[in-house]
Amino acid sequence: MQVKINIDGGSRGNPGPGASAYVICDLNGKILSQEGHFMPHCTNNQAEYTALKLALIKSAELGAKELFIESDSLLLVKQYLGEYKIKHPDLAARMQIIRRLAAPFTIHIKHVLRHLNKAPDALANKAMDAQQSLGFNPIQHLPDDDEIAAPAQKDNSVNGVEVTPVKREAAPAKKDAKKGPQQPDLFGGF
């Protein structure tokens, strides 16, 4: 199934209270799901990234396979496409989660001007005004980032060959050669 997704996020105060929003429609324009997700404290960029994350989670719930995503955040789009570096560690961690969620989809993402992205903007503002999440057919299960993150993998290969720790038998201890007379032990022996 192909879907069209518009995403937006914002923060009042940057950082401050904010919201992320997505609107998912079929290709005929029928709304399948929309949600404004309230965030008590975030930056504008964190809200934008969260909007994309939420849209991907809901798209998977809907069974979508091909996503046509529009965002008015040029930074998010360019960073997703790898055209801009992600310097902030928090955003880099968020992008790892997003890329993991995006893996099963065919994704087309583009930047649009703000006036062409009014629906998710209005939804994000409603969530900020209400200071709570709201929507139509929202995400059923919002996983923690730990549930989404790739399990830590031990890479034990070098040059394409698996390597393991080297274990050697201990070398026999060298016997001290007696040099001259031994000093007697003052506490009990020679």
Side-chain angles (χ1 to χ4, degrees), residues 16-30:
S20 300
Y22 63 85
V23 178
I24 303 176
C25 300
D26 66 15
L27 295 185
N28 295 320
K30 177 184 174 191

Side-chain angles (χ1 to χ4, degrees), residues 28-158:
N28 295 320
K30 177 184 174 191
I31 295 176
L32 304 174
S33 176
Q34 64 180 6
E35 184 173 356
H37 177 76
F38 179 69
M39 301 170 69
H41 189 78
C42 66
T43 66
N44 283 333
N45 289 335
Q46 289 170 331
E48 295 281 2
Y49 271 59
T50 300
L52 180 53
K53 173 184 144 184
L54 296 174
L56 293 170
I57 291 168
K58 187 59 188 182
S59 295
E61 279 186 11
L62 293 171
K65 299 293 181 207
E66 189 170 11
L67 315 179
F68 295 88
I69 303 170
E70 296 180 347
S71 171
D72 60 18
S73 171
L74 182 62
L75 179 73
L76 169 66
V77 171
K78 293 287 190 178
Q79 287 179 332
Y80 180 84
L81 293 173
E83 295 174 18
Y84 288 177
K85 288 183 181 179
I86 304 172
K87 296 178 182 176
H88 195 282
D90 178 68
L91 295 181
R94 288 173 189 263
M95 186 57 77
Q96 285 182 337
I97 298 295
I98 288 168
R99 291 201 187 288
R100 182 140 174 95
L101 289 168
F105 300 108
T106 300
I107 295 184
H108 312 276
I109 187 168
K110 70 176 184 175
H111 174 255
V112 295
L113 297 176
R114 198 168 189 183
H115 72 277
L116 299 173
N117 206 39
K118 289 183 179 181
D121 179 63
L123 199 50
N125 278 305
K126 274 207 180 288
M128 283 187 270
D129 291 344
Q131 294 189 349
Q132 68 177 19
S133 299
L134 44 90
F136 161 73
N137 190 19
I139 294 170
Q140 298 301 311
H141 170 66
L142 183 57
D144 292 332
D145 286 348
D146 292 343
E147 290 179 65
I148 301 166
Q153 294 183 4
K154 271 187 159 177
D155 184 12
N156 288 332
S157 65
V158 177

